[in-house]
Amino acid sequence: MPEFKKKTALGLRDLPENGQECTHVLLTHSEYDALLAKVACAERDARSVYTAASQKIAQAERNSAQAKEAAYAEVNAVQKDLEEACRKIEYLNGLNKNLLRIARERANADRKLRPKKTHTGYVVLTSSEKEYRYKTMRKENAVAGLWETALQSPYSVDFTEEQARALTEELVQPNENGETIVGRIGIDTYYHGSYEDLLHDQRRNARQEKSRNIMLKPKLRANYKTGYWEVIFLHTKPLGLVPEDMRARNQ
């Protein structure tokens, strides 16, 4: 059952029920998963309404020459459905963000990451030099000195692979200041592909790329010992100085 809490100067105080005093709600993993399932189902329903509504609008517009007044009435009705669907999607997105925030704060608290409310939840586990073998455009064997870094995410292994893959895309997404999470550890730019793809990409400025630490397409690993999803990726140069708050602690 959800636990209702009120934030006080001494911490979180238990409440007997949800009410105006309630500032926090704690959920179990199973309750959280159930809410995620409801959100996903509602989003699918909303998308279905949106698709059906768009099709009705198109059909109504085609028939408008023969039944202009009726078509206008249909468009208005469908528009109301669209507005309702958009409101529902906006509400569900807000609910999902709130649930993800709670999950991240729990993960930060479990791993003693501070401040738990604002920490991204990502920490560096390892970063090691690696000989990467690949084939050139002439199909010849070649070796490049790359680096491989593993990050622990704030998302537990109770998240599905699909959910974890979508959520960890935030690593390379700029915030309102144009900064990325991986940028804090010395990654300059991101390339959504392999090292071979990077070398053969004619759109890239090879001279400029030599001075950059380029992150390549990451892979996921579920670590059932620690209980969290990990993100592993290759990059072209060693990491910069990793901030203290992004260094993994003993768990």
Side-chain angles (χ1 to χ4, degrees), residues 4 13 16 46 74-75 92 127 129 151 157 165 188 207 219 247 250:
F4 304 107
R13 178 169 61 84
E74 180 73 8
V75 168
L92 291 172
S127 187
E129 198 168 14
L151 299 180
V157 293
R165 191 172 302 279
D188 298 310
R207 179 178 297 180
K219 296 181 179 180
R247 300 178 188 180
N250 293 329

Side-chain angles (χ1 to χ4, degrees), residues 12-28:
L12 295 179
R13 178 169 61 84
D14 291 336
L15 294 176
E17 59 183 12
N18 192 9
Q20 293 183 349
E21 289 187 326
C22 181
T23 61
H24 291 71
V25 180
L26 300 185
L27 305 175
T28 64

Side-chain angles (χ1 to χ4, degrees), residues 79-94:
Q79 188 64 39
K80 290 181 181 179
D81 288 343
L82 279 175
E83 292 172 356
E84 181 62 29
C86 290
R87 284 194 294 269
K88 190 174 183 180
I89 290 174
E90 184 177 358
Y91 168 75
L92 291 172
N93 284 339

Side-chain angles (χ1 to χ4, degrees), residues 169-184:
E169 288 179 358
E170 64 191 355
L171 281 169
V172 297
Q173 293 172 348
N175 61 18
E176 59 275 8
N177 298 319
E179 301 166 340
T180 63
I181 295 175
V182 292
R184 295 193 64 213

Side-chain angles (χ1 to χ4, degrees), residues 73-186:
E74 180 73 8
V75 168
N76 289 336
V78 169
Q79 188 64 39
K80 290 181 181 179
D81 288 343
L82 279 175
E83 292 172 356
E84 181 62 29
C86 290
R87 284 194 294 269
K88 190 174 183 180
I89 290 174
E90 184 177 358
Y91 168 75
L92 291 172
N93 284 339
L95 178 62
N96 192 41
K97 287 180 181 179
N98 192 46
L99 293 174
L100 290 174
R101 176 186 58 78
I102 292 172
R104 183 182 289 108
E105 288 181 10
R106 280 183 175 178
N108 289 347
D110 288 343
R111 295 175 296 161
K112 298 180 175 60
L113 299 180
R114 299 288 185 271
K116 73 173 185 178
K117 288 186 177 295
T118 57
H119 197 291
T120 63
Y122 289 93
V123 290
V124 178
L125 298 176
T126 59
S127 187
S128 57
E129 198 168 14
K130 181 176 183 179
E131 287 189 349
Y132 182 80
R133 302 183 183 279
Y134 66 98
K135 289 188 178 295
T136 66
M137 293 185 70
R138 296 181 179 179
K139 304 301 180 183
E140 298 173 344
N141 293 325
V143 178
L146 300 181
W147 286 76
E148 184 177 75
T149 293
L151 299 180
Q152 185 182 70
S153 80
Y155 305 113
S156 76
V157 293
D158 292 318
F159 284 85
T160 66
E161 175 273 335
E162 183 180 9
Q163 290 170 335
R165 191 172 302 279
L167 291 168
T168 53
E169 288 179 358
E170 64 191 355
L171 281 169
V172 297
Q173 293 172 348
N175 61 18
E176 59 275 8
N177 298 319
E179 301 166 340
T180 63
I181 295 175
V182 292
R184 295 193 64 213
I185 57 176

Side-chain angles (χ1 to χ4, degrees), residues 45-58:
D45 291 343
R47 284 194 294 268
S48 296
V49 171
Y50 186 91
T51 300
S54 298
Q55 292 172 348
K56 287 183 179 179
I57 289 176

Side-chain angles (χ1 to χ4, degrees), residues 62-74:
R62 285 192 294 269
N63 296 337
S64 61
Q66 292 81 20
K68 189 174 182 179
E69 292 184 2
Y72 280 149
E74 180 73 8

